[in-house]
Amino acid sequence: MSRKKSYDRDEKNFTVRLSAFIVDKRKAFYLIYIGLLIFSIISSGWVKVDNILTDYLPENTETRQGLTVMEEEFTTFGTADIMIENISYEQGVKISEGMENIEGVKSVEYDDSEEHYKDVSGLFSVTFEGEEEDEISVKALNEIKEKYAGYDIYISSGVGDVMAEQLAGEMRTVMCIAAVIIVSVLLLTSHTYAEIPVLLMTFISSALINKGTNYLFGTISFVSNSVAVVLQLALAVDYAIILCHRYTEERELHEAREAVVAALSKSIPEILGSSLTTLSGLAAITFMQFRIGFDLGMVLIKSIIISLLCVFTLMPGLLMSFSSLIDRTHHRSFVPKINIWGKFVIKCRKISLPVFTAVIIGALFLSNMCPYVYGTSTLSTITKNDMQIAHAKITGTFGSENTMAMLVPAGNYEKEAGLIRELERMEEVDSVTGLANIEAKDGYMLAEYLSPRQFAELTDMDIDTARMLYSAYAAEEENYGKIISGIDSYDVPLLDMFEFLYQRVDEGYINLDDEAKNDIEDMHDALTDAKLQLLGDNYSRFVMELNLPEESGETFDFLDTLHETAEKYYEEGCIMVGDSTSDADLASSFKTDNILINILTIVFVILVLLFTFKSAGIPVLLILVIQGSIWINFAFPYILDENMFFMSYLIVSSIQMGANIDYAIVITNRYYSLKQKMPLKEAVVETLNQAFPTIITSGTMLASSGVLIGLLSSSEVVASIGVALGRGTIISIVLVMFLLPQLLYIGDRIIEKTSFTLKKPVTPQISSGYMRVDGHIKGQVSGIVDGEFKGTVKGTVNAVIDNRTSEKKEDEETEGKEAAEDEKQNENYIE
């Protein structure tokens, strides 16, 4: 059949009409994209970035519940650990006094103990007057940096957290290097030099629009904000390359416009099919209990959809506009033929298949022993930011701290005091701070119950004034029995009585001399700070320092011990908050998430493959190869004795299955097509030859993007994802280019036997008049006809037509003319 005739006949197809519309209206699409790009550049500044992983914990976890309570009921002042090296203790004292005089600094802890002075280094524990995000805290910390810049100073603090800015800067570096790699790969694998600006404009437009439309989510995680652009380009590059290569093929047969229309109409089904496996893998991670999976999954799904839209609606117009330049810049292919590799793959199949089978089985067991961790304290990165360097310096000299908060029901100071005393006796606890054990003055604790005489001694108040104060307090509390039986036996918590005294002095009911007033004012400031941090409307907070690592089996067991201890005093028990409880919560959710995401990813991908290849055997082979690469990938942390962040596994395994399986689909499609034309061995060799440029292009971009993220990101979470993704992609490429062709060759009979065809229901066509028919007819055509028919029919047709052309002619007078045209076209008709 002539190609020209085939194209004419397809013009009534919907995708052809849609493609023609996109190409013809390309200037309108240019205007739309210019508007979208301007809007996206502006709206990208509206996107809020959340730097705190615990914000994505499920609402039913202990840590999330505790953090919610603390946000609602307590004030947590900003703090900073500041280490200055090469100073004497006396110099440290002067520095401490200087820091306390800075506006915004509430207090500075520094003494001659090993907790604050060791190895000619001083550690200053600074507390600010505001919370971490408050301007007063940020300004004070900046002033400290400026004032002591001449010293060997290291600062570890969450105040004025600049992690998002640092990550953004690191990702810009990654993008710059990735851009060089992408352009280099495209130069090697492209057909013409002018393709490259078309591809780059498509990539950049899709990336900017995706980044700008993130504001629709309101707030996204720092993980999504960091890796989305790089992963978008790496995951979606295939779509643009498919369309570009298809255009090159069609341009040999058609004029520029017709070539773009034909290329787009034929690429749409192929590109959509390719994107489904990627979208399936991304959709699976949105089901994670740890909601950062949903956050990243939604951002990346949106990025893939936007990339598809840019390829379908922007790139065709660019190809048309650059068509003359593309025609003039053709160059020879720089991608070598790999016939030798293909022949090697076939020859060593009997050896390599058993070896790889053993490797994959071994990797399955080793990956199950992967040392997963749920916090970042044991992870390290190649690139380190100033905060990480400072933290390493401080912990290296003074040791690390594991700070925990315990929340218990408020209102009973005696229970709090009893629980604190029991906690202080535990070997695993270095210190506990709560209202019940904070000293107010002269050995009296804030929550201690005092009589009028004891309170008078504490505050230097006249005993009669103290009795009057206690009587007024009893009356306000409607505790009249104490007034009648004798106020001297009435014991009231120091904290409550002091608050009552301060109110009465402030209202003018009690007169004190200036010195006493100043003492009361100073005590009130201290007590107010203590209450803000440790006493809420419904809960009291204890702050504990544990001598246990942040994450270990011993630590997780001790958390259970703390809960059991609290239950002795409170039926409701307690809520524990800290890095250790966060890690424990994530560890418990990982088991469920792991099973769920693996099952969903495999099911989604199998369904796509099943309907793509219409075979039950092929999905099994492809899943086996990619799942094998996943097992090998996550066997490496165990072999190298390196911890693996659990979230990296969940995210990368889904992306690896959803995206890397595209490489396997490319190989399988080529093999399926070529084996119809040549012997199986030759089909394998030619398959690898034809698939190599596509796989090396896409694979190099994804692998290099992952490796760059792993090398250049200072975020432990982001770097961990990058390392696993880069390594996994390389492993997938090796298995797809080596193991998969052997499996296809050996399993060819099984594949054929497990193939099936989805038959569409057919209905007879009923028509009468003058018709031109080209195809297989079974039915009645003014008689019975069953066979291939090419020509014209005049009469009534009631038949099933499996045809290439069936057109009814309204004007019978044109019969002679049409017959003449058919005769002319048949001269060029090639079946």
Side-chain angles (χ1 to χ4, degrees):
M1 177 188 308
S2 73
R3 288 168 175 170
K4 182 69 171 65
K5 185 175 180 180
S6 172
Y7 181 72
D8 289 342
R9 196 167 53 237
D10 284 344
E11 281 192 333
K12 292 188 177 181
N13 183 282
F14 171 75
T15 56
V16 175
R17 294 198 304 272
L18 176 63
S19 300
F21 173 81
I22 291 170
V23 174
D24 293 340
K25 303 297 181 183
R26 58 187 178 277
K27 291 183 180 179
F29 281 104
Y30 290 164
L31 290 175
I32 292 171
Y33 274 98
I34 289 171
L36 283 173
L37 289 170
I38 294 172
F39 174 79
S40 297
I41 291 171
I42 296 171
S43 63
S44 61
W46 303 343
V47 182
K48 296 179 181 177
V49 179
D50 191 338
N51 297 323
I52 305 172
L53 283 177
T54 51
D55 287 347
Y56 294 90
L57 287 168
E59 293 297 327
N60 60 348
T61 58
E62 182 180 18
T63 303
R64 183 65 263 160
Q65 292 173 355
L67 289 171
T68 301
V69 170
M70 292 201 301
E71 289 166 5
E72 292 174 352
E73 299 198 12
F74 300 96
T75 297
T76 303
F77 292 112
T79 60
D81 285 332
I82 301 175
M83 184 176 110
I84 298 181
E85 289 184 320
N86 303 315
I87 60 171
S88 64
Y89 173 72
E90 290 73 20
Q91 285 178 294
V93 172
K94 293 180 180 179
I95 291 172
S96 174
E97 293 171 351
M99 288 182 181
E100 285 185 327
N101 292 329
I102 292 175
E103 183 180 357
V105 174
K106 182 179 291 293
S107 64
V108 178
E109 289 184 32
Y110 178 76
D111 54 41
D112 59 355
S113 68
E114 287 200 348
E115 293 180 359
H116 289 285
Y117 187 78
K118 185 179 180 182
D119 299 335
V120 297
S121 296
L123 179 62
F124 307 87
S125 300
V126 179
T127 301
F128 299 98
E129 292 183 356
E131 298 190 65
E132 287 185 347
E133 302 84 5
D134 293 346
E135 181 63 28
I136 190 171
S137 302
V138 176
K139 187 176 178 181
L141 182 60
N142 289 336
E143 191 171 340
I144 289 174
K145 292 178 182 177
E146 184 178 343
K147 185 173 182 177
Y148 299 101
Y151 291 87
D152 296 328
I153 187 170
Y154 300 93
I155 301 175
S156 176
S157 175
V159 172
D161 190 2
V162 294
M163 185 174 71
E165 296 175 11
Q166 290 173 334
L167 278 176
E170 292 164 0
M171 289 304 109
R172 282 193 290 271
T173 303
V174 169
M175 283 299 301
C176 290
I177 300 175
V180 173
I181 294 174
I182 289 172
V183 171
S184 301
V185 172
L186 291 176
L187 281 171
L188 291 173
T189 60
S190 64
H191 297 94
T192 74
Y193 294 116
E195 289 178 6
I196 296 173
V198 172
L199 292 169
L200 290 179
M201 282 190 280
T202 305
F203 297 158
I204 293 170
S205 297
S206 62
L208 288 175
I209 293 172
N210 185 57
K211 189 172 181 63
T213 52
N214 282 336
Y215 90 95
L216 296 172
F217 298 125
T219 300
I220 62 173
S221 70
F222 72 93
V223 176
S224 302
N225 189 59
S226 301
V227 303
V229 173
V230 180
L231 291 184
Q232 178 187 4
L233 296 183
L235 293 173
V237 66
D238 288 352
Y239 313 147
I241 291 174
I242 288 172
L243 177 58
C244 206
H245 287 181
R246 178 70 73 173
Y247 168 74
T248 303
E249 295 171 4
E250 295 294 334
R251 187 68 181 90
E252 297 176 2
L253 308 173
H254 304 293
E255 294 299 322
R257 177 192 174 276
E258 287 70 24
V260 178
V261 172
L264 180 59
S265 63
K266 293 176 182 179
S267 296
I268 287 175
E270 185 179 355
I271 292 172
L272 287 176
S274 176
S275 68
L276 284 177
T277 53
T278 302
L279 290 172
S280 297
L282 297 175
I285 64 175
T286 64
F287 289 89
M288 283 174 61
Q289 291 184 69
F290 188 32
R291 302 310 292 163
I292 203 165
F294 179 84
D295 180 85
L296 180 61
M298 292 303 294
V299 171
L300 288 178
I301 286 172
K302 178 169 66 67
S303 75
I304 298 299
I305 293 172
I306 289 173
S307 295
L308 288 172
L309 291 174
C310 286
V311 169
F312 291 155
T313 61
L314 175 63
M315 190 174 171
L318 293 174
L319 287 171
M320 183 65 195
S321 298
F322 279 76
S323 59
S324 60
L325 191 59
I326 290 174
D327 292 342
R328 295 197 303 270
T329 58
H330 276 272
H331 61 78
R332 69 179 181 83
S333 175
F334 298 113
V335 180
K337 296 290 185 180
I338 56 170
N339 293 324
I340 296 175
W341 175 257
K343 293 175 182 177
F344 172 75
V345 167
I346 290 296
K347 284 183 179 179
C348 67
R349 65 187 183 279
K350 294 181 180 179
I351 299 174
S352 60
L353 278 176
V355 170
F356 267 99
T357 300
V359 169
I360 289 173
I361 292 173
L364 169 62
F365 287 101
L366 293 178
S367 64
N368 286 328
M369 294 187 284
C370 182
Y372 295 112
V373 294
Y374 307 94
T376 60
S377 61
T378 59
L379 299 176
S380 62
T381 58
I382 295 173
T383 299
K384 299 186 184 300
N385 57 41
D386 292 341
M387 189 71 70
Q388 290 169 323
I389 294 171
H391 181 73
K393 274 281 189 179
I394 293 170
T395 55
T397 303
F398 294 96
S400 59
E401 295 180 343
N402 186 3
T403 303
M404 300 287 297
M406 176 185 282
L407 306 178
V408 297
N412 192 320
Y413 296 130
E414 290 180 327
K415 286 185 177 180
E416 290 182 26
L419 177 55
I420 286 175
R421 284 193 295 271
E422 188 162 350
L423 293 173
E424 287 176 328
R425 289 195 293 268
M426 294 180 174
E427 293 181 0
E428 298 86 351
V429 179
D430 283 338
S431 66
V432 184
T433 301
L435 283 177
N437 70 340
I438 292 180
E439 183 177 351
K441 187 179 178 183
D442 299 337
Y444 289 109
M445 303 299 171
L446 284 180
E448 193 169 348
Y449 285 74
L450 302 183
S451 66
R453 182 170 297 279
Q454 290 171 315
F455 189 76
E457 292 173 354
L458 176 66
T459 58
D460 294 327
M461 183 184 296
D462 180 80
I463 184 59
D464 292 331
T465 304
R467 287 169 179 156
M468 288 175 57
L469 182 66
Y470 268 64
S471 297
Y473 181 85
E476 186 170 284
E477 295 292 316
E478 298 182 355
N479 197 346
Y480 302 111
K482 290 295 182 181
I483 300 175
I484 297 171
S485 62
I487 202 68
D488 286 341
S489 62
Y490 188 22
D491 292 336
V492 177
L494 187 158
L495 181 63
D496 295 345
M497 183 51 66
F498 184 83
E499 284 293 325
F500 187 74
L501 168 63
Y502 184 81
Q503 291 174 8
R504 292 299 174 268
V505 171
D506 190 52
E507 292 167 357
Y509 293 111
I510 297 178
N511 294 317
L512 299 174
D513 58 42
D514 291 340
E515 185 178 350
K517 279 185 178 180
N518 290 335
D519 290 342
I520 293 292
E521 195 67 42
D522 291 341
M523 286 184 65
H524 177 263
D525 291 341
L527 293 178
T528 299
D529 287 346
K531 287 183 66 176
L532 286 172
Q533 296 179 82
L534 302 174
L535 181 62
D537 294 333
N538 302 295
Y539 288 90
S540 290
R541 176 165 66 172
F542 305 154
V543 179
M544 297 183 291
E545 296 293 341
L546 307 184
N547 52 36
L548 296 172
E550 176 191 315
E551 183 178 350
S552 69
E554 184 184 3
T555 304
F556 292 163
D557 290 340
F558 185 65
L559 294 179
D560 294 334
T561 301
L562 291 173
H563 279 286
E564 292 168 2
T565 303
E567 287 170 4
K568 296 178 185 178
Y569 297 85
Y570 301 94
E571 272 187 41
E572 307 93 328
C574 68
I575 301 175
M576 298 298 303
V577 185
D579 291 335
S580 293
T581 52
S582 173
D583 296 346
D585 287 335
L586 292 173
S588 63
S589 69
F590 173 65
K591 297 175 183 177
T592 305
D593 282 344
N594 188 19
I595 296 171
L596 178 66
I597 290 173
N598 281 334
I599 291 175
L600 288 176
T601 304
I602 291 174
V603 168
F604 290 160
V605 172
I606 282 179
L607 289 175
V608 173
L609 296 177
L610 200 61
F611 288 98
T612 299
F613 292 104
K614 299 179 178 61
S615 168
I618 287 181
V620 173
L621 288 180
L622 302 194
I623 292 289
L624 177 63
V625 171
I626 302 302
Q627 187 60 56
S629 71
I630 293 172
W631 288 332
I632 295 172
N633 187 16
F634 291 100
F636 271 87
Y638 177 81
I639 295 170
L640 300 174
D641 193 25
E642 295 177 351
N643 289 335
M644 168 59 62
F645 191 54
F646 82 104
M647 191 175 71
S648 303
Y649 168 77
L650 294 175
I651 291 172
V652 172
S653 61
S654 297
I655 292 177
Q656 201 174 334
M657 178 61 75
N660 291 172
I661 204 163
D662 282 351
Y663 310 152
I665 292 173
V666 169
I667 292 284
T668 307
N669 271 328
R670 298 279 183 178
Y671 174 75
Y672 241 67
S673 174
L674 291 170
K675 78 170 189 172
Q676 309 297 329
K677 307 173 184 177
M678 58 185 72
L680 295 184
K681 288 185 179 180
E682 293 180 18
V684 169
V685 175
E686 186 58 26
T687 292
L688 290 173
N689 243 339
Q690 294 183 12
F692 178 64
T694 302
I695 293 175
I696 202 65
T697 302
S698 177
T700 299
M701 292 180 187
L702 185 57
S704 61
S705 297
V707 171
L708 286 172
I709 291 171
L711 292 175
L712 300 178
S713 176
S714 61
S715 167
E716 296 90 349
V717 176
V718 174
S720 178
I721 292 173
V723 169
L725 182 61
R727 183 176 60 217
T729 301
I730 294 169
I731 294 169
S732 296
I733 292 173
V734 171
L735 292 191
V736 164
M737 291 294 292
F738 187 75
L739 181 62
L740 179 59
Q742 297 173 344
L743 291 174
L744 291 172
Y745 176 77
I746 292 174
D748 189 73
R749 289 186 180 180
I750 297 175
I751 293 171
E752 290 294 335
K753 289 182 178 180
T754 58
S755 296
F756 59 88
T757 302
L758 297 176
K759 294 184 178 180
K760 298 179 180 179
V762 291
T763 55
Q765 298 182 25
I766 302 175
S767 184
S768 60
Y770 180 69
M771 301 181 67
R772 184 175 67 195
V773 179
D774 178 7
H776 182 96
I777 304 177
K778 184 175 183 179
Q780 186 174 12
V781 185
S782 296
I784 301 299
V785 177
D786 184 356
E788 298 291 337
F789 183 85
K790 187 191 305 179
T792 59
V793 173
K794 183 178 181 181
T796 302
V797 176
N798 183 358
V800 174
I801 304 177
D802 179 15
N803 67 320
R804 290 175 289 274
T805 304
S806 176
E807 299 179 1
K808 183 176 179 180
K809 300 299 179 182
E810 300 294 340
D811 187 359
E812 294 187 10
E813 293 181 0
T814 61
E815 177 179 353
K817 186 178 179 180
E818 295 292 338
E821 290 180 358
D822 286 344
E823 184 72 24
K824 184 177 181 181
Q825 287 180 349
N826 285 339
E827 292 177 2
N828 297 322
Y829 190 91
I830 301 173
E831 185 61 32

